[in-house]
Amino acid sequence: MTTNDNPFAGHNGPIDTQDGLYSEDELRLSNRNSGILLETLALDVTPTGLHYLLNHFDVPLLDAGNHKLSFSGAFDTAAELSLDEIKAMPQVTLPVTLECAGNGRAGVSPRLHAMPWIYEAVGTSEWTGTPLRPLIEQMGLRSDAVEIAFTGADYGFDKGVGHSFGRSLTLAQIAELDVMLVYAMNGQPLLPQHGAPLRLIVPGWYGMASVKWLERIEALTQPYDGFQQLRTYRYRETAEDPGRPVTAIRVKSLMVPPGVPDWGSRKRYLEPGPVTLTGRAWSGAGVPISRVEVELDGAWQEARLEAAVGDYAWTKWTCDWTASPGEHVLRCRATDADGQVQPLEAPWDAAGFGNNAAQKVVVFVGQSAAAL
Amino acid sequence: MTTNDNPFAGHNGPIDTQDGLYSEDELRLSNRNSGILLETLALDVTPTGLHYLLNHFDVPLLDAGNHKLSFSGAFDTAAELSLDEIKAMPQVTLPVTLECAGNGRAGVSPRLHAMPWIYEAVGTSEWTGTPLRPLIEQMGLRSDAVEIAFTGADYGFDKGVGHSFGRSLTLAQIAELDVMLVYAMNGQPLLPQHGAPLRLIVPGWYGMASVKWLERIEALTQPYDGFQQLRTYRYRETAEDPGRPVTAIRVKSLMVPPGVPDWGSRKRYLEPGPVTLTGRAWSGAGVPISRVEVELDGAWQEARLEAAVGDYAWTKWTCDWTASPGEHVLRCRATDADGQVQPLEAPWDAAGFGNNAAQKVVVFVGQSAAAL
């Protein structure tokens, strides 16, 4: 199959979306791509199986025993490494908060016809593997290399173009970011849906950079031109705009919705009285969180911050509130050490990338809510 | 909080649904409740984290070290067991295929406004625990007991009624079904989202019977009247119909969609030539699968069956096909040893329960599909 095959050429024209109504295709994506359950934001590490999943194509079921990672292009010699050889290299475990670049897309109007995340495409896991930079050097990277391309085993079509999922990083980015070649998650071998047996983790960047089912590392002497880097994962004003690449995660926070839910609407019910609100905040590329505020009854209150779970992992926050009877809309917003603050409204992007607007949670407090 | 609280009374009236368009509430449910990825039907055991999840309320984060299971009602004496005490009892591991009673709801017209599953609410895990029946007898069940009620730690509202999730089984059902008290899944302690630290597994029945986060076992001398047994999980012609309880899983089959997907539409692309189709079939209450047929180019072909993964777990099937250029609609349907056959159209149910209609997969084969 080549990238000239175009079986879906007629099936991916612009599709009009309506605010608050979702198509069968969007439902199909939503039933495939799963997110965190917000109540588990109470935990430092997201339970295995609740870390968000955004897989473009089918999950390849690879054989760890026979898996090989190839090195080609501008290396002194082409080479292949087995999983056992990679596991024998220096090992590091790092808690990393990953977020999907499309998280919040359902809140952007008009939204692109793609996976309609609300708030849930985030998670923190403890990733175990070997640092990428020394490995790349060890493989004899030539001085004319400018970028490194990473290709997964997952293949499919997007906008009529057949391709394996792939991304690249410049040498400068690899030097700056603590990129890892990963084979375990939360102390267990990678699960098939999370990239088994081998994947990249690019701490601090949105998830698209952390290529799963990694098969091929190629040193390029020319800039990379892969579909997932030039055709998508770009901030664009309009669909025609060439755009700027999506990279580091924008500052964001989420709260554990207080009280108990209504099954169908997920609205919250809470008894009157004191309650401690809690949640998580994070920003990209290792920038610490400096402040979280919670809007309670129209006033922004300062939240208390705990120590971050790691240099690239989220920070727990708590904030006390005395819940009075009636309906309340709670919001939270974080500020990072670079002074970036979450906006209150969704930033515009044609594809709904990077929506870090403050979360809203509707809460009904006490008996009087029965009349609402 | 009592069951008289009714904060959502005004928020759960009948909502009209439209075929092929989904509301914000349905999207919220779809983003919380995740299903299997159909490509992993190739595996005997569903990878941890891909087994479907349908959680009515928030996941309670319970402390396994302090968790107690209480026995009350018509037992000789009230008692509490710790997790360690339960783990010291006879241990059994059983592969079980579970399916959500609402699986396929999106294919029922008009559909209830609830979790809009397409095909993915199914999974097979290896569950480890202790058989329930001898434990119940050991606890001194009184002769006037008629049912056993099981209550979880998850609490919330449905149709304005606040309640902990609960279900019951009659003594006859407990005697017939190999019900287990379970603390491990696929060789690991239960994950929070799957009922940690303790849950019920009712093999052969739809998933609602397998109560998670189990806290309380009560022997009743009168029939159970819990919300999740009388108000929902009933087959009804109309919403007013008192209905019949949803119990054993209906005969069903699914195929691994062949070829590779288009990202947005999930339609499939395949090269012309021979291909072996594969999938799984299952039926409820331990009834074996006797036949699977696959519709290829308008004719139903017999599939080959492998041995079932277990008495209560699915059966792998395979079927050879020579794919010719063009668009094809593939379907599969199973028959069980009781002679039950999957229907081709969704059986009517007011709440969309028990939809076991044959799966349809649209496939584009070869270059000529480019013109479609």
Side-chain angles (χ1 to χ4, degrees), chain A residues 28 77 79 157 220 319 327:
Chain A
R28 206 172 275 114
T77 53
F157 288 85
L220 306 176
C319 187
E327 181 174 341

Side-chain angles (χ1 to χ4, degrees), chain B:
Chain B
M1 222 175 297
T2 74
T3 54
N4 295 322
D5 288 328
N6 197 359
F8 301 106
H11 293 268
N12 286 282
I15 296 169
D16 287 334
T17 53
Q18 271 178 273
D19 288 358
L21 276 181
Y22 300 85
S23 70
E24 195 86 33
D25 281 355
E26 289 176 294
L27 178 70
R28 206 172 275 114
L29 287 172
S30 172
N31 282 0
R32 272 189 69 84
N33 296 292
S34 60
I36 199 173
L37 301 177
L38 295 182
E39 58 269 32
T40 66
L41 290 169
L43 303 171
D44 283 351
V45 173
T46 305
T48 299
L50 286 184
H51 190 287
Y52 89 88
L53 278 183
L54 189 292
N55 292 328
H56 286 247
F57 307 132
D58 288 5
V59 168
L61 301 172
L62 305 177
D63 175 359
N66 287 320
H67 191 72
K68 296 274 191 270
L69 176 65
S70 76
F71 291 78
S72 60
F75 290 104
D76 283 340
T77 53
E80 278 191 343
L81 293 179
S82 71
L83 197 60
D84 282 346
E85 288 170 311
I86 292 167
K87 285 184 179 172
M89 294 175 179
Q91 188 183 93
V92 52
T93 294
L94 201 63
V96 174
T97 297
L98 286 184
E99 184 180 3
C100 181
N103 198 12
R105 176 177 288 123
V108 176
S109 175
R111 71 180 184 280
L112 182 79
H113 200 91
M115 172 62 208
W117 294 114
I118 304 171
Y119 294 120
E120 53 292 280
V122 65
T124 297
S125 297
E126 291 184 320
W127 301 100
T128 298
T130 195
L132 179 70
R133 190 183 172 185
L135 173 59
I136 293 278
E137 286 165 4
Q138 186 185 322
M139 298 309 286
L141 186 66
R142 292 195 334 233
S143 60
D144 58 340
V146 293
E147 288 193 31
I148 308 287
F150 304 92
T151 309
D154 46 332
Y155 184 97
F157 289 84
D158 191 351
K159 299 187 179 73
V161 181
H163 61 284
S164 300
F165 188 93
R167 296 274 310 176
S168 80
L169 293 168
T170 65
L171 299 182
Q173 287 161 349
I174 293 173
E176 270 167 37
L177 305 162
D178 290 330
V179 182
M180 297 166 71
L181 210 53
V182 157
Y183 42 80
M185 179 183 186
N186 298 344
Q188 300 286 329
L190 282 181
L191 289 162
Q193 68 270 30
H194 287 289
L198 195 64
R199 67 175 294 176
L200 217 58
I201 289 289
V202 182
W205 278 31
Y206 284 114
M208 73 282 149
S210 295
V211 176
K212 295 174 178 173
W213 309 292
L214 189 65
E215 285 191 327
R216 199 148 48 90
I217 293 185
E218 193 180 356
L220 305 177
T221 56
Q222 299 290 330
Y224 181 70
D225 64 356
F227 184 97
Q228 299 288 340
Q229 195 135 333
L230 294 193
R231 299 285 301 277
T232 182
Y233 292 117
R234 299 183 81 85
Y235 293 117
R236 295 177 161 115
E237 284 295 312
T238 66
E240 293 69 38
D241 182 1
R244 296 172 297 112
V246 171
T247 56
I249 297 173
R250 290 177 171 170
V251 62
K252 196 163 185 175
S253 61
L254 288 174
M255 80 175 75
V256 175
V260 298
D262 174 60
W263 150 243
S265 68
R266 307 317 295 180
K267 285 177 178 160
R268 314 293 302 184
Y269 176 78
L270 191 60
E271 297 205 310
V275 56
T276 298
L277 302 170
T278 188
R280 299 279 164 175
W282 61 94
S283 191
V287 180
I289 292 298
S290 56
R291 184 182 198 191
V292 172
E293 300 157 279
V294 184
E295 191 184 34
L296 300 170
D297 305 318
W300 289 91
Q301 307 287 330
E302 207 74 23
R304 296 180 296 278
L305 303 184
E306 296 193 359
V309 170
D311 287 347
Y312 296 102
W314 56 25
T315 294
K316 185 174 183 174
W317 59 262
T318 53
C319 187
D320 297 324
W321 178 43
T322 302
S324 58
E327 182 174 339
H328 302 262
V329 180
L330 311 177
R331 294 197 288 191
C332 57
R333 69 174 173 202
T335 303
D336 71 16
D338 284 349
Q340 298 294 315
V341 191
Q342 282 185 258
L344 299 183
E345 301 300 329
W348 169 246
D349 180 71
F353 288 129
N355 178 7
N356 64 336
Q359 176 195 15
K360 279 185 199 173
V361 178
V362 178
V363 181
F364 298 103
V365 178
Q367 294 282 354
S368 70
L372 290 173

Side-chain angles (χ1 to χ4, degrees), chain A residues 8-31:
Chain A
F8 302 105
H11 294 267
N12 285 283
I15 296 169
D16 287 336
T17 54
Q18 269 178 275
D19 288 358
L21 276 181
Y22 300 85
S23 72
E24 195 86 33
D25 282 356
E26 288 175 294
L27 177 70
R28 206 172 275 114
L29 288 172
S30 172
N31 282 0

Side-chain angles (χ1 to χ4, degrees), chain A residues 20-334:
Chain A
L21 276 181
Y22 300 85
S23 72
E24 195 86 33
D25 282 356
E26 288 175 294
L27 177 70
R28 206 172 275 114
L29 288 172
S30 172
N31 282 0
R32 271 190 71 82
N33 295 293
S34 61
I36 199 173
L37 300 177
L38 295 182
E39 59 269 31
T40 66
L41 290 168
L43 304 171
D44 283 350
V45 173
T46 305
T48 299
L50 287 183
H51 189 287
Y52 88 89
L53 278 183
L54 189 291
N55 292 328
H56 286 247
F57 307 131
D58 288 5
V59 168
L61 301 172
L62 305 177
D63 175 357
N66 288 319
H67 192 70
K68 295 275 190 270
L69 175 64
S70 76
F71 291 78
S72 60
F75 289 105
D76 284 340
T77 53
E80 278 190 344
L81 294 178
S82 71
L83 196 61
D84 282 345
E85 288 170 311
I86 292 167
K87 285 184 179 172
M89 294 175 180
Q91 183 177 306
V92 52
T93 294
L94 202 63
V96 174
T97 297
L98 286 184
E99 184 179 4
C100 181
N103 198 12
R105 177 177 289 121
V108 176
S109 175
R111 71 180 183 278
L112 182 79
H113 200 91
M115 171 63 208
W117 294 116
I118 304 171
Y119 294 120
E120 53 291 281
V122 65
T124 297
S125 297
E126 291 186 319
W127 302 100
T128 298
T130 195
L132 179 70
R133 191 185 173 184
L135 173 58
I136 293 278
E137 286 164 5
Q138 186 185 324
M139 298 310 283
L141 186 66
R142 294 198 330 237
S143 61
D144 57 341
V146 294
E147 287 192 32
I148 309 286
F150 305 93
T151 309
D154 46 332
Y155 184 96
F157 288 85
D158 192 352
K159 300 187 179 73
V161 181
H163 61 283
S164 300
F165 189 92
R167 295 275 309 177
S168 80
L169 293 167
T170 65
L171 299 182
Q173 287 161 350
I174 293 174
E176 269 168 37
L177 305 161
D178 290 330
V179 182
M180 296 166 73
L181 209 54
V182 158
Y183 43 79
M185 179 183 185
N186 298 346
Q188 300 286 329
L190 282 180
L191 290 162
Q193 68 270 30
H194 287 290
L198 196 64
R199 66 175 295 175
L200 217 58
I201 289 289
V202 181
W205 278 32
Y206 283 115
M208 74 282 148
S210 294
V211 176
K212 296 175 178 174
W213 310 292
L214 189 66
E215 285 193 324
R216 198 146 48 89
I217 294 186
E218 193 180 356
L220 306 176
T221 56
Q222 301 290 329
Y224 181 70
D225 64 355
F227 184 96
Q228 298 288 340
Q229 195 133 333
L230 295 192
R231 299 284 301 276
T232 182
Y233 291 117
R234 299 183 81 85
Y235 293 118
R236 295 176 161 114
E237 283 294 312
T238 66
E240 293 70 36
D241 181 1
R244 294 172 298 111
V246 171
T247 56
I249 296 173
R250 289 177 172 169
V251 62
K252 196 163 184 174
S253 61
L254 288 174
M255 80 175 77
V256 174
V260 298
D262 173 59
W263 150 243
S265 67
R266 308 316 294 179
K267 285 178 179 159
R268 314 293 303 184
Y269 176 78
L270 191 60
E271 296 205 310
V275 55
T276 298
L277 301 169
T278 186
R280 300 279 165 175
W282 62 93
S283 192
V287 179
I289 292 297
S290 56
R291 185 182 197 190
V292 172
E293 300 157 280
V294 184
E295 192 185 33
L296 299 170
D297 304 317
W300 289 91
Q301 307 287 331
E302 208 74 23
R304 295 180 295 278
L305 303 184
E306 296 193 2
V309 170
D311 287 348
Y312 296 103
W314 56 25
T315 295
K316 185 175 183 175
W317 59 263
T318 51
C319 187
D320 298 325
W321 178 43
T322 302
S324 58
E327 181 174 341
H328 302 263
V329 179
L330 310 178
R331 293 197 289 189
C332 57
R333 70 174 173 201

